[in-house]
Amino acid sequence: MSSRRMTIATGSLLTASFSAVMIFSFSAGADDEGPMIGKGGKAVDKAPAGVELTTLLPEKIEVDNSSQETPITATVKNGGTKDSGEIRLLVVGFDGLSVKGVEGCAEIAEKDLPEGSNSGFACAIDNLAAGKSKSYAVDATFDLKKEGKICLPVQDADGKKTFWQQGPVPFGANNPSPNAPATPLLLGTDNSPVTPGSDKAGGDKSGGGKSGGKELPKTGPADRILPLGAVGAALISAGAAGLWWTQRRPQRSGS
């Protein structure tokens, strides 16, 4: 083979290799949710001395425009100096965001869901060591014709106290992309429905939630806490967990 042909062949191989690397890198980063943040979170009941519990959600998620599927990572963290002991993380969906599954967690029965929510899972944690965190893979769907919110309360084992609650905080996009393969949504942004002519303020926002429930507040530094209630003790039998939701009495008069 002449040196010219060898040069052309070598160049083609390098170009193909470079293209493969670029495609692989793009695919590997396509599911990157970006930084995890605690936006919309607030301490509620006082945690045990030395325990500092918070949660984190991805700053950005992407919704598949054909299937409505979106993966979300929910993280609970103990930033204190002492172990947490037994606690529970709840992952609850509202309006257009429905939680379909959380790895290693028990589904909350429809009748026991917090008022206004459409889905939820309870994740029992035996102990979270000081300075450690635990993440859960959340399978969810997002109806882009609606607004959508998620809530992450962290409670003690029997649900009598809520140490921290992130949300209900919205995911949304100001400029949806209905013709693109996926729509990126940002945490803390109200979603603008993609359906032309839809009424954002008065459209269907039920999301499968309970009818007749009072409107739920958004959670922020100066806002009230969602009255989720206390989760009763989990009954574990033959590998199945039973979960009962009971009404919490107000712990305080203000936020």
Side-chain angles (χ1 to χ4, degrees):
M1 181 182 294
S2 68
S3 60
R4 185 171 180 274
R5 289 182 179 178
M6 288 184 66
T7 301
I8 293 174
T10 303
S12 299
L13 287 172
L14 287 174
T15 302
S17 299
F18 179 74
S19 299
V21 170
M22 290 297 291
I23 292 172
F24 178 79
S25 299
F26 178 81
S27 299
D31 294 330
D32 182 12
E33 294 177 324
M36 303 287 287
I37 57 176
K39 190 170 188 175
K42 186 173 183 178
V44 189
D45 296 317
K46 187 176 181 180
V51 177
E52 184 180 331
L53 297 167
T54 57
T55 56
L56 299 169
L57 284 165
E59 185 177 38
K60 180 184 74 173
I61 62 174
E62 285 196 350
V63 180
D64 186 297
N65 286 342
S66 59
S67 67
Q68 297 188 339
E69 294 178 352
T70 178
I72 302 173
T73 299
T75 298
V76 56
K77 180 179 179 181
N78 180 8
T81 57
K82 294 185 178 179
D83 293 358
S84 69
E86 292 186 20
I87 57 173
R88 185 186 309 276
L89 171 70
L90 307 180
V91 183
V92 185
F94 295 82
D95 303 321
L97 192 156
S98 298
V99 181
K100 301 301 182 181
V102 182
E103 185 177 7
C105 304
E107 185 174 6
I108 301 171
E110 183 178 358
K111 64 183 181 62
D112 298 323
L113 287 170
E115 186 176 2
S117 66
N118 59 52
S119 52
F121 284 74
C123 309
I125 302 172
D126 292 335
N127 182 61
L128 191 58
K132 299 296 183 180
S133 62
K134 186 174 178 63
S135 295
Y136 293 89
V138 179
D139 292 327
T141 59
F142 198 108
D143 185 348
L144 292 170
K145 296 188 294 293
K146 304 175 183 178
E147 295 183 354
K149 304 179 187 70
I150 191 169
C151 189
L152 302 181
V154 183
Q155 302 180 329
D156 58 1
D158 58 10
K160 292 182 178 179
K161 292 184 178 180
T162 298
F163 301 127
W164 172 267
Q165 181 175 301
Q166 185 175 7
V169 60
F171 274 108
N174 292 322
N175 299 303
S177 307
N179 297 322
T183 297
L185 303 180
L186 294 178
L187 186 67
T189 302
D190 288 329
N191 189 52
S192 297
V194 299
T195 303
S198 63
D199 184 356
K200 182 177 177 181
D204 177 14
K205 296 195 225 174
S206 62
K210 298 182 180 180
S211 61
K214 57 185 178 182
E215 183 179 355
L216 296 172
K218 298 175 183 176
T219 304
D223 295 325
R224 295 175 295 157
I225 296 300
L226 169 67
L228 278 177
V231 178
L235 303 180
I236 302 178
S237 174
L243 188 62
W244 284 261
W245 204 289
T246 56
Q247 183 67 35
R248 281 180 75 231
R249 290 180 296 179
Q251 299 279 336
R252 55 195 70 188
S253 58
S255 58

